[in-house]
Amino acid sequence: MTGGRSGHGRASLIEYALAAAVVASVVSAALWFRQNGFLPQPFVMDTNDTFMDWFNTAFWANRPGAYEVWRSIYPPLSFVFLDLFSLPGCHLSSPFAARDCDWLGQATILGAYGLNVALFWTAFRRNDRPSAPPRTIAMALGLPLLFTLERGNLILIAMPAFILAHDPLVRSPLVRAVATAMTINFKPYLLLPALARLIRREWRPLEWAGLATIALYLLTLALVGSGTPGELASNTANWVVFQSGQVWNEVNYSTSYGPLLSIRKASPIPLLDLVPSRLVEGIEYVVPLLIRASQCIALVALAGAWLQPRALGHARVAILLLGAYLVTQSPGGYAQLFLLFLALLEKWDGAGPKIAIICTYLLCLVGDVPIATIIDLNTNGWLSGRPVTPSFGLTIGHFLRPGLLILILWALSFDALARIVRAHGAHRPSLGMAPA
């Protein structure tokens, strides 16, 4: 008993130290903002674009043409929600004018942030009380959530549903099914962690979630009047082409090395003038192999989880599914918020979870270390309300952050395989229904 308490104490001290580093990075970013009038990298270099993920979408929620004119890739639920939580009279001329007028939208953004923090605390406290304070601090003040807040991205709304869907805060199968349906209808890539129930052969919850997802989509489709599967597929193809010309925005805060690999081909940035050619060539050779290896190790662990459905918990399987996707391609750096939440549901027990938890804290650090400047701007800072002269360029974080996500995936995949092997030694693989 004494040894267990001592190990737990060491874990708490380490996590509190890491959380203190996150707080220090936030203070440093705040001081930077106070001095310069804009947020440091990797926050978006368009300093006049704060909250515009929200208000660009809300603008089209208040008029026809979201799919035909704006070519949105969001399912209809986003437009139904934003139509409810916006003031129609503010969305007449432009999204930027709406941002300054629509107090309901701004209040909803801040309220969603507060709700996320409250749910983080509740989930972590129920999962493991000693580690709940530092983990809540890291998630509440860490870069992923602050970046999401600055963008006003709808992940702020999807995250509470994600917590209810993937953490045992609620026991009602109906509530979990509806929460899962909301996550998928807000962010379709969240279908992947929802498939954890398929891997664990939890058929009834999977059926409920599938029916709820389809029902919610059909209901919101009827309310919006557009956003059919054909429109979403066509607009997604158009978005992929558009993003190929916006590589720098993708590289700036990414979950994957994919955008960095394409920067020489799809961007006018003279990369070889900024970093040694051997480094670039090494990255171009090693990174594709690393991504494929990461996919393979995750798939092997998932196959083992299928054979031994009791060996891994729901959150671990969800991490493997979502992590394999995020290290392959990036839907935006803020998407890692879902993965990091799941990683902090792990116990401080074993090398794999410990590595994953430490990497999670490191990914929550705010700010970056510049390597070379690419662009200097003269623009306005909406948050500071004054002209600013930001400089942006390559940073250490562009190379480290995707690597930390890969390390999380590898650490938890190998730990999962070890657990599966132990479970295999205890009983034969299950090929039928998963135990209740």
Side-chain angles (χ1 to χ4, degrees), residues 96-116:
F96 290 95
R99 176 181 59 182
D100 296 327
C101 168
D102 191 352
W103 62 264
L104 178 58
Q106 291 193 26
T108 305
I109 291 171
L110 297 176
Y113 172 81
L115 176 61
N116 276 290

Side-chain angles (χ1 to χ4, degrees), residues 173-178 181 203-214:
L174 179 60
V175 173
R176 286 193 181 184
V178 171
W203 304 118
R204 186 58 59 83
L206 182 66
E207 291 169 1
W208 276 86
L211 290 173
T213 299
I214 295 171

Side-chain angles (χ1 to χ4, degrees), residues 84-143:
L84 290 173
F85 288 91
S86 62
L87 300 177
C90 292
H91 295 263
L92 300 177
S93 58
S94 76
F96 290 95
R99 176 181 59 182
D100 296 327
C101 168
D102 191 352
W103 62 264
L104 178 58
Q106 291 193 26
T108 305
I109 291 171
L110 297 176
Y113 172 81
L115 176 61
N116 276 290
V117 173
L119 287 176
F120 286 146
W121 167 251
T122 305
F124 293 147
R125 189 168 184 268
R126 177 168 295 189
N127 183 63
D128 182 51
R129 286 196 175 195
S131 64
R135 295 185 185 193
T136 303
I137 290 170
M139 291 296 286
L141 299 179
L143 177 61

Side-chain angles (χ1 to χ4, degrees), residues 371-393:
I371 298 174
T373 298
I374 290 177
I375 186 172
D376 294 301
L377 299 172
N378 287 287
T379 183
N380 292 317
W382 185 79
L383 282 173
S384 61
R386 61 183 173 89
V388 294
T389 56
S391 297
F392 293 91

